[in-house]
Amino acid sequence: MEKISRFTVWRILFPLLILSFYPVVSYGRSFVLFLSQDDINDITNSPDDIDPAHVDTAEWDEFGDTETKTDEELDPGSWRPILETDSDQVPRSDEDSLYYSGVSKMVSSASSGDERTMEEAASEIESSALAGNPHAQSALGFLYGMGQMRERSKAKAFLYHHFAAEAGNMQSKMALAYTYSRQDMYEKAVKIYAELAEVAVNSFLISKDSPVIEPVRIHNGAEENKEALRKSRGEEDEDFQILEYQAQKGNALAMYKVGLFYYFGLRGLRRDHAKALTWFLKAVEKGEPRSMELLGEIYARGAGVERNYTKAFEWLKLASKQQLYSAYNGMGYLYVKGYGVEKKNFTKAKEYFEKAADNDEPGGHYNLGVMYLKGIGVKRDVKLARKYFILAANSGQPKAFYQLAKMFHKGVGLKKNLPTATAFYKLVAERGPWSSLSRWALESYLKGDIGKAFLLYSRMAELGYEVAQSNAAWIVDKYGERRMCMGGGGLCTDAERHQRAHSLWLLASEQGNEHAALLIGDAYYYGRGTERDFERAAEAYMHAKTQSNAQAMFNLGYMHEHGQGLPLDLHLAKRYYDQALEMDPAAKLPVTLALTSLWIRKNYADSFLVHLIDSLPDVFPKVEAWVEDVLMEEGNATILTLFVCLLTVLYLRERHRRQNGAAAPFHHPNENPPPPMLN
C-alpha cells in the first residue's frame, strides 16, 4: 500500500463511504514464450533446400554485420542536433535549416510556455513540410496528432506521417506501424515493423547481449518513482560519483563498471565509446577479465577506435579463457564471417556457439538457431532452429524475438500469425536509435524542465512506447494547469488538458498498463475528459482486474452494489470486495467498511441508513473542503474521523440490539462473517 496522502484517512474513514485505495503497482513483467501445438508448423511453406550461396539474402537475416552506422544515418531527421549540444551534425539544405529552426523553437517554447514562439515554430515546420522536407512532415504530423498550435486531426497526422515514412523518416514509420496495429491492420503493420526491427537488430552486439535499456517510468501509480529517478541522474548521481572515485583510485571492478555505463549509456549517462575504451583498458591492466570481452566488441565494431578484427578475436579469446562463455559467440561470429581469422570456418563457428549454449548463454542458442534455420555448415533443420530460438527468447534475447517474428510472419516453422509477428517485431523495433528520445525526455524531467519532458514523451507516445504514453499522461495530471501544455490555439484549456490526459492513458491501457486502465475507468465514471459512461468505466475496471489490480476489483464491487454500469448484485459485489482484500491485505479497512455497507443494504433496504449512505457521495466534497480549510493538521482530521466512525458504530450496535429477530449477517455459506462490530 503506498503512502496515504494528506486527508486520505478522512476519505477512507468517513462512515461507510469508500472512495479509493492504491495498491503498489509492479510494471516489470518477465516474458516467457508459450507455444501451443496449434502454433507449430512443421511444413516450412518455403523450399527446404535453401541454397547456401544465398544465405545472405535480405529475407532471412544471418549474423548481421559489424559495420557501425551513426545514429543520424539510422534515424534521419532526428532531433538530436537540437537536444544534444555536442552534436556535430550540420543541416544539409535550406529545407533542413528551416526544419531544425522550427524544432528548436518548438522545444524552447515547450520549456518556457511562450505561445508566440510555439506558433512561429509550427509555421516554420509547416513551411518546410510543404516544401517537401520529410522530417518536417513527420514533425507536422506530430503537431496535428497532438493538437498543438493546430486543430487536432488524426487524418492530417496520418497523411503527413505517410508522406514522411515514404521518404525514409523512421519515426514516422514507427507512428504508422503503431496506428495500423491499433486498427488490427496487421498486413500493413507487420511489413513496417519488420523493416524497423531489422535496423534495430543489426546494431546489437556480436557476443554478449547488450542490456535492454527500457524507458524509465517516472511514476509508480499515483506517486513519483523517486528510486528509479535517483538512479538515472548520470554523472550527477552520488552513487556514480563514488564509483568513479573508486575507479580513479585503481579499483578494477569499478573501472569495469564505469566503462560499462559509458559503453551502453546506462544509469542516465550519455554513451561515450572513447571513455568506455579507456576504462576497459585500465581495468584489463588490473586483471579484470570481463573488460576483455567488451574490448573485443569495441575493436570488432570500430566503436571509439579503429576497427581491427584480429585484435577483436584476440580479446575475445582471452575472455573465453576466463570462463566468460558469451565470448564464444563473438569468436563464432568472426569464423562465420571470416573476419580476423585465416578463413571462414562454419565447423569451428558451430563448435564455439555450442560451447556458449552448453553454458546457458542465450546468444549461443540464437546463433545455433540461425545455423540450423539456414543450413550454414549443418543440415537445415527448421524444428531444431525453432527450439533454439525459443530457448533464447525465453532468456530475453531480442534477436531471437526477431527470428521468431519472421517465422510467424512467413509461416516457416510456426503457423503464420500476423498479430504475434507484429507484437514481436514491435518489441525489437522499440530498441532502435529513435528510443534515445526517452533519454532526452528523462534528462529534461530530472532538470525540472517539465514542458520539454512532456513534449518529448508525447513524441514517443505516438510512436507506440507505452511507458512514454504513461509518463506523458502522468505529467499532465500531476502538473495540471502549468504552462507546459500547448493546445490548438495556445495554452491548453481545461477541456484540452483532460482530453489529452484521457487519450494518453487510453493508449497506455490498451498496451496492458493496469494503472492506466484504472484511470480510464475513473475518467468514464466521473466524466473527466470524456462523456460519463458507467458501462465503459466497468469495461476499463474489468481490464485492470485482469492484471490483478485490487483497486479495480474494489470498484467493480462498488458498481455491482449500486447497479452502476453493471447489474445490481450484492453477492457479486461481496465477491469483488473479498478478492480485493485477498489481492492486497492493506485494503482491509475500506473492504471492511464496504462489507458493512452491504450488510446494511441487505438488511435495511430503503431505510434511512441506506439513503444516508447513498447521499454521501454528494455531501462528501463539501465536507472534505471544510476539513481541508478548517483542520490543517492531519492528526486532528484523523481523530475527528475516528470519532465519527465510533459514534456511527455505537448507533448501529444499539439499534441492532433493539430489534428482535434481527436478520442474520450477510455472508455466503462457509464464509467468515462480517466484521465483529456488527455481531
Side-chain angles (χ1 to χ4, degrees):
M1 180 74 70
E2 294 182 3
K3 182 179 179 181
I4 298 177
S5 62
R6 185 176 177 83
F7 298 115
T8 297
V9 174
W10 167 255
R11 291 176 180 269
I12 295 176
L13 292 180
F14 194 83
L16 309 181
L17 175 64
I18 317 301
L19 290 185
S20 65
F21 62 93
Y22 294 92
V24 174
V25 180
S26 174
Y27 292 102
R29 298 185 179 93
S30 58
F31 194 103
V32 179
L33 181 65
F34 292 100
L35 297 178
S36 68
Q37 191 60 39
D38 291 340
D39 294 315
I40 305 301
N41 183 11
D42 290 333
I43 300 175
T44 63
N45 293 334
S46 66
D48 286 339
D49 53 344
I50 291 182
D51 185 353
H54 296 90
V55 295
D56 290 326
T57 57
E59 183 178 357
W60 290 102
D61 176 66
E62 186 191 330
F63 292 98
D65 205 342
T66 57
E67 182 180 355
T68 303
K69 293 184 178 180
T70 65
D71 285 342
E72 180 56 32
E73 290 175 313
L74 296 173
D75 184 22
S78 164
W79 297 355
R80 185 172 288 99
I82 306 302
L83 299 170
E84 291 187 357
T85 55
D86 58 347
S87 174
D88 58 358
Q89 183 192 349
V90 178
R92 294 183 293 272
S93 66
D94 291 341
E95 289 79 9
D96 274 346
S97 297
L98 190 59
Y99 159 64
Y100 280 116
S101 173
V103 171
S104 179
K105 290 179 180 178
M106 178 172 64
V107 172
S108 174
S109 60
S111 299
S112 65
D114 187 337
E115 299 174 57
R116 188 180 65 178
T117 304
M118 179 61 79
E119 179 53 45
E120 290 177 4
S123 296
E124 289 185 1
I125 289 171
E126 186 170 34
S127 296
S128 181
L130 294 176
N133 186 295
H135 313 312
Q137 291 168 346
S138 178
L140 188 58
F142 165 66
L143 293 179
Y144 273 114
M146 191 178 180
Q148 181 165 299
M149 306 313 290
R150 294 291 181 270
E151 185 178 355
R152 190 166 182 260
S153 172
K154 292 183 179 179
K156 288 184 178 180
F158 178 85
L159 186 64
Y160 281 113
H161 280 309
H162 174 76
F163 290 145
E166 287 289 314
N169 185 280
M170 305 302 278
Q171 294 187 29
S172 279
K173 290 184 180 184
M174 284 286 290
L176 278 184
Y178 178 56
T179 299
Y180 286 135
S181 65
R182 287 190 68 217
Q183 297 173 354
D184 296 338
M185 299 172 67
Y186 296 112
E187 288 281 357
K188 293 185 176 182
V190 76
K191 182 179 178 181
I192 302 174
Y193 271 134
E195 178 187 348
L196 293 162
E198 184 177 0
V199 173
V201 81
N202 283 334
S203 67
F204 297 164
L205 303 188
I206 63 173
S207 62
K208 188 178 182 63
D209 295 333
S210 57
V212 178
I213 306 173
E214 299 287 355
V216 174
R217 197 176 299 275
I218 63 177
H219 68 99
N220 189 4
E223 301 292 334
E224 188 175 66
N225 194 350
K226 296 185 183 299
E227 181 63 19
L229 294 176
R230 185 188 66 80
K231 293 179 178 179
S232 304
R233 295 186 178 276
E235 294 178 345
E236 296 179 3
D237 178 39
E238 183 177 343
D239 289 346
F240 176 78
Q241 292 174 352
I242 293 173
L243 184 69
E244 189 175 38
Y245 175 77
Q246 292 174 335
Q248 291 169 347
K249 290 296 183 180
N251 185 301
L253 179 59
M255 291 175 179
Y256 164 71
K257 287 185 176 180
V258 171
L260 200 67
F261 288 172
Y262 277 118
Y263 188 72
F264 291 114
L266 304 178
R267 297 290 292 265
L269 292 173
R270 292 283 180 90
R271 186 175 293 183
D272 191 322
H273 291 149
K275 284 186 178 180
L277 175 65
T278 300
W279 283 115
F280 287 145
L281 288 172
K282 289 181 178 180
V284 166
E285 291 176 0
K286 293 286 185 177
E288 219 305 313
R290 286 171 292 184
S291 296
M292 298 174 183
E293 184 179 3
L294 274 301
L295 286 171
E297 288 281 353
I298 285 176
Y299 279 106
R301 289 189 171 274
V305 69
E306 185 177 352
R307 177 177 288 148
N308 189 319
Y309 290 118
T310 302
K311 281 190 175 182
F313 185 83
E314 290 173 356
W315 281 117
L316 290 168
K317 188 174 182 178
L318 286 172
S320 68
K321 290 181 178 179
Q322 299 295 322
Q323 296 185 326
L324 296 172
Y325 302 112
S326 55
Y328 285 121
N329 290 314
M331 296 168 67
Y333 170 87
L334 294 176
Y335 270 111
V336 166
K337 290 291 190 178
Y339 296 155
V341 293
E342 57 276 12
K343 62 179 180 178
K344 286 186 179 182
N345 190 324
F346 294 151
T347 301
K348 276 196 172 183
K350 179 173 175 286
E351 289 176 1
Y352 284 129
F353 293 151
E354 286 175 335
K355 285 183 179 180
D358 289 344
N359 288 279
D360 296 323
E361 273 296 325
H365 292 134
Y366 167 78
N367 291 324
L368 286 173
V370 173
M371 295 193 82
Y372 280 105
L373 178 67
K374 303 179 73 172
I376 302 173
V378 295
K379 182 180 179 181
R380 185 168 186 262
D381 189 332
V382 174
K383 292 182 182 179
L384 195 53
R386 180 180 64 211
K387 171 189 171 183
Y388 281 126
F389 288 146
I390 291 173
L391 286 171
N394 282 339
S395 297
Q397 225 283 358
K399 289 185 285 189
F401 282 105
Y402 178 58
Q403 294 291 1
L404 289 170
K406 288 198 289 187
M407 296 178 86
F408 275 118
H409 185 185
K410 303 295 183 181
V412 175
L414 292 167
K415 287 186 179 178
K416 189 171 184 177
N417 186 325
L418 295 188
T420 301
T422 299
F424 283 8
Y425 278 139
K426 181 177 184 288
L427 183 150
V428 179
E430 287 184 345
R431 296 190 62 189
W434 36 88
S435 65
S436 58
L437 281 164
S438 176
R439 186 186 75 236
W440 299 324
L442 181 61
E443 287 179 359
S444 301
Y445 184 83
L446 291 172
K447 292 176 181 177
D449 193 341
I450 306 301
K452 184 177 175 181
F454 176 67
L455 178 77
L456 298 177
Y457 279 131
S458 296
R459 174 63 163 174
M460 284 191 78
E462 72 166 355
L463 308 189
Y465 288 84
E466 180 275 314
V467 174
Q469 293 164 351
S470 172
N471 285 348
W474 187 82
I475 287 175
V476 174
D477 280 344
K478 178 177 176 61
Y479 293 94
E481 299 180 0
R482 297 198 185 180
R483 60 190 179 186
M484 53 79 198
C485 181
M486 289 285 184
L491 295 177
C492 284
T493 63
D494 286 343
E496 285 176 321
R497 191 169 59 252
H498 286 309
Q499 188 277 330
R500 192 167 298 177
H502 177 77
S503 297
L504 290 163
W505 283 126
L506 182 61
L507 294 175
S509 70
E510 290 175 353
Q511 300 199 72
N513 185 314
E514 64 190 60
H515 179 68
L518 187 66
L519 292 181
I520 286 297
D522 290 345
Y524 282 121
Y525 187 90
Y526 295 107
R528 296 172 185 160
T530 185
E531 294 291 330
R532 194 171 191 181
D533 189 328
F534 287 144
E535 291 185 1
R536 296 188 72 175
E539 289 176 4
Y541 290 144
M542 195 66 71
H543 179 65
K545 171 189 171 291
T546 62
Q547 303 293 327
S548 301
N549 186 289
Q551 175 72 70
M553 295 173 185
F554 185 91
N555 292 351
L556 289 168
Y558 183 88
M559 296 180 78
H560 271 301
E561 180 183 353
H562 294 85
Q564 295 176 329
L566 293 170
L568 179 65
D569 190 323
L570 300 187
H571 291 278
L572 272 179
K574 182 179 186 300
R575 183 178 301 174
Y576 278 122
Y577 288 144
D578 289 341
Q579 287 178 356
L581 183 57
E582 291 174 8
M583 189 56 55
D584 186 358
K588 184 175 183 179
L589 177 57
V591 168
T592 298
L593 294 176
L595 292 175
T596 302
S597 174
L598 273 179
W599 183 85
I600 293 173
R601 194 174 299 279
K602 178 177 176 62
N603 293 282
Y604 299 100
D606 297 325
S607 68
F608 166 75
L609 278 176
V610 173
H611 292 305
L612 175 63
I613 293 170
D614 289 340
S615 69
L616 286 176
D618 295 327
V619 176
F620 175 74
K622 299 177 182 178
V623 177
E624 182 187 34
W626 175 77
V627 171
E628 293 185 358
D629 290 340
V630 178
L631 301 173
M632 297 307 295
E633 294 185 9
E634 187 171 345
N636 291 342
T638 303
I639 293 171
L640 175 63
T641 52
L642 287 171
F643 178 70
V644 173
C645 280
L646 177 61
L647 289 179
T648 304
V649 171
L650 291 174
Y651 167 75
L652 292 175
R653 286 172 61 89
E654 181 63 24
R655 178 167 179 166
H656 183 60
R657 269 193 216 96
R658 292 176 184 176
Q659 296 185 4
N660 294 325
F666 172 67
H667 63 91
H668 294 303
N670 302 322
E671 289 186 350
N672 294 327
M677 66 180 184
L678 294 176
N679 284 347

